[in-house]
Amino acid sequence: MLGNEREKIRHMLVIQDLQGQRTVVLQEATYSLGRHPANTIVLTSRSVSMQHAILLRVTVPQTDQYGFQIIDGNYKGKGSTNGLFVNGTKCFSHNLRNGDVIAFGGNQAQAKYYAISNLSEQAFYESSDVEDLSGFLSQQASPANPFQTLAIDPTFEAASESALARLASFPELIPNPIIEMDFEGTVTYLNPAAALKFPKLREVGTQHPILTGLLGAVNNLEKNSFVREVEVGAEVFEQSVLYLPESDLIRTFIVRDITEQKQATAELRQRDRLLQAVAEAANYLLREMNSETGIDRALAVLGEAAKADRAYLFQNHPHPATGEIAVSLRFEWTHSFIQPTHHHWQNQPYQASGLARWHTVLSRGESISGLTQKFPVAEQEFLIRDGIQSLILVPLRLKNELWGYIGLADCTFERHWSRHEESTLLTMAASIISTQQRQQVEEKIRYQALHDLLTGLPNRLLFNELLSKTLPNATRNGESLAVIFLDLDRFKVINDTLGHTLGDQLLQSVTQRLKDLLRGGDTIARWGGDEFTILLPRVHDIEEVNQVAQRILQALEDAFHLQGHELYVTASLGIALLDDNSPDAETLIQHADAALYYAKDKGRNNYQFYSVSLSAKNPELLTLEKSLRYALEREEFTVYYQPRVNIATGEITGMEALLRWQHPEMGLVAPSVFIPLAEESGLIVPIGEWVLRTACSQNKTWQDAGLPPMMIAVNLSLKQFCQPKLVETIAKVLEQTGLEPRFLELEITETTAIENLSFTRKVLQNLQQMGVYISIDDFGTGHSSLSRLQLLPLHNLKIDKSFIQDLTQDVKVAHIIKAIVSLGHSLGLKLTAEGVEKEEELEFLKSINCEEVQGFLLYRPLSAKIATEILESKRPML
């Protein structure tokens, strides 16, 4: 660099006048010299009294250098008053040489011209402030590096009018580089700007990027000119090329330097790629049911968009051996030619491995970015081992803790990461953390949906799932299995007499005894109430099951001591074995239930195996099912209405239609008894249509009476929902009753919604197009997640009353409800809480912005008459 600096010819003008001595560095293409009224020499000043001379920068023929020519007067040919004297000789123009002295008509104002090389850039600019320039230049020189001056043939440019016109012409004065080349590839002309910008152009010739390819290009031209972009090192120029066949010349003109423009365009394109990558990655993170698959795909999209060689995700955790904070590589994407490093980055303790700085910086929420060679030595060892030349890391913070970090690495070159790339990583980090938070909440919700909150046991949904998974293994291994239904005898008496709190404690104690006696692979679940189910896999003979059943009965013989009470309970057990009579999960459960019924019928506190002779249904249920078949035509059904209330205003916003059966002999039959019978027998379809018609008709009646329009909600069972003409039936009912679709809300359970997700989506989309609203009922008791339900066109989410009942007893339930409300809102759903019975429950729901509530605290289910009276009492006064 220093050598190239010293090769340059430096041009200076040392002026001596009444103001003293000063040095002017000559770098421009042209200068105007004049005399100020104070008798001082000035260059290019508005206060010049007259233009004495002009200085023109001229290219020295056959060289990359330039010199200066001084001309008396101005461009228009008007000479100076006193004349121009160079070295004591009067002249019209003169090619200046090093040491020339210029006088302006007297001794009071003169200037000395210097053109020297072998002078550093710093010394060149320092010279303008030195009084004794000759002495200063002598100090800078040395015998080994003597000064060189510009050798100019004084006759190279005649001082004629044509010469002056040439010197003052556009090519010489313009700041844009102009180059001319003949058809042999020889550079014939460089203007001063070209000589300055491309000092090695004559030497390199057609190998120089400015001239590369021009000879071949002009031979194939249809026109005599074209424009192209050309790169010279790190700079990019727009070059205009003119082919002059009549002069045997190719003239090029550097129109402009477009380096910054190209860089800005490249940055914009890269930013757009990164923004698109963030959106695509966020979509993967949200859409993928498996969060690990989502993160893998997100990192791949990010790495490719950033044109990186690696994209990482690291996670912090306690070291498995020492317990100290360590880090492991959880996810990694690499280019095809880059070797994965997953095995290098497992269980690395921050302190011992020399990465403590990373933990400190990232814990503060700051990023780490830079070239490997600039990192501390201990960190360099890790990065060099993986071939990394540059790295950027941003933190992943979960609950104000450093959960981990993600990053990009380049193994190809030393890359300086842009702010767009850092912003993209930070945005990606936020998306990944949101995914982790959602996953944790969904895991809690799933646990709640699959476990009994009181006992912590699997519930019936999880039991069915485990049973369905165990069956294929048993069949494949030639083994059997057993399903046991267990019902506590006399539990209802204890619960009703001593209270629900003691009853709950008794259930927990029973659970613990049963868990203690079962084998390692056995599963016990709470089916509901005081019923339990037990799965015994890998059964080889019936004696194994007999022993388990006997141990269960024996375990319950000892008294339970709770709250000063000595309590005794026994159990009845029904057992079904996997065999030809009970070949699948549904049949096994049905047969175990049937065996339980007969165990109770035989005096309780015993167990019974299912056999074909027990296949007859419970006689009481048979009688009830027979009556159910005639209940509709005998008009034994009625619809009650439970108001739905806006929690903020207290206004009734809708009614839920609830079916009631008044049996002529048995009285009011609980829906939990007859609804399953109706579902199993298929009677639920005509009964459900009757409920729908009655509810729609009642809502239209209220509207016709001038009451404020509101929503009527009707439940659809699984069998109703799956009937092929459901949409047509609903449309027909709405048409016949005259109710607008927007005032009807259909409620389906989670289980119904996910039974066949594609079928459900199609049906709900048809209903939505009709204008009907859709609600998920009893949310939290089914086997689903919001990430799956978001695929459906839903409007409302009803939180199951089991959550509300446990709200004031279990703080974890409050967190789950809050999470459900938050996630529901994020999906644009309204939230309704069912089963609100306490004031503190209402206040909590209000605090978390749950919109609507139902429950005994506000209104019990009402007959149509009483519901009408309440609505009338709340009619707005005109």
Side-chain angles (χ1 to χ4, degrees), residues 104-281:
F104 299 92
N107 295 324
Q108 290 182 319
Q110 66 178 25
K112 188 173 183 179
Y113 171 74
Y114 289 88
I116 57 175
S117 67
N118 205 11
L119 186 66
S120 69
E121 186 92 15
Q122 181 179 354
F124 176 55
Y125 285 104
E126 288 177 357
S127 65
S128 62
D129 298 322
V130 174
E131 291 186 9
D132 182 8
L133 182 63
S134 298
F136 175 77
L137 294 177
S138 299
Q139 293 173 7
Q140 296 296 316
S142 66
N145 294 296
F147 286 119
Q148 301 294 325
T149 186
L150 180 66
I152 302 177
D153 182 355
T155 63
F156 84 88
E157 190 77 60
S160 62
E161 292 185 7
S162 60
L164 177 59
R166 166 73 181 193
L167 290 172
S169 68
F170 175 80
E172 288 291 313
L173 300 181
I174 193 170
N176 298 66
I178 298 176
I179 306 103
E180 292 181 354
M181 176 178 69
D182 63 22
F183 290 166
E184 301 301 321
T186 302
V187 176
T188 59
Y189 172 70
L190 293 176
N191 75 338
L196 279 173
K197 189 66 180 176
F198 310 116
K200 298 294 184 180
L201 194 143
R202 285 187 184 274
E203 179 182 335
V204 177
T206 55
Q207 300 302 310
H208 195 281
I210 290 293
L211 303 179
T212 299
L214 288 185
L215 291 174
V218 297
N219 291 330
N220 300 314
L221 280 181
E222 293 182 3
K223 298 181 179 180
N224 65 344
S225 64
F226 63 92
V227 176
R228 68 175 186 174
E229 291 181 4
V230 59
E231 294 185 18
V232 182
E235 296 178 295
V236 185
F237 301 96
E238 185 179 287
Q239 180 185 25
S240 176
V241 180
L242 180 63
Y243 171 43
L244 303 172
E246 66 279 2
S247 303
D248 291 337
L249 284 178
I250 300 172
R251 177 178 294 159
T252 75
F253 179 81
I254 303 302
V255 180
R256 58 195 176 110
D257 184 337
I258 58 173
T259 306
E260 291 185 2
Q261 175 186 321
K262 299 292 286 187
Q263 290 174 345
T265 302
E267 286 182 10
L268 286 173
R269 287 176 181 169
Q270 177 69 349
R271 186 191 65 179
D272 290 344
R273 277 196 299 269
L274 292 172
L275 289 174
Q276 184 177 354
V278 167
E280 189 176 345

Side-chain angles (χ1 to χ4, degrees), residues 27-43:
Q27 292 180 304
E28 303 298 328
T30 180
Y31 291 91
S32 175
L33 286 82
R35 189 186 296 275
H36 189 270
N39 204 31
T40 59
I41 297 174
V42 295
L43 273 69

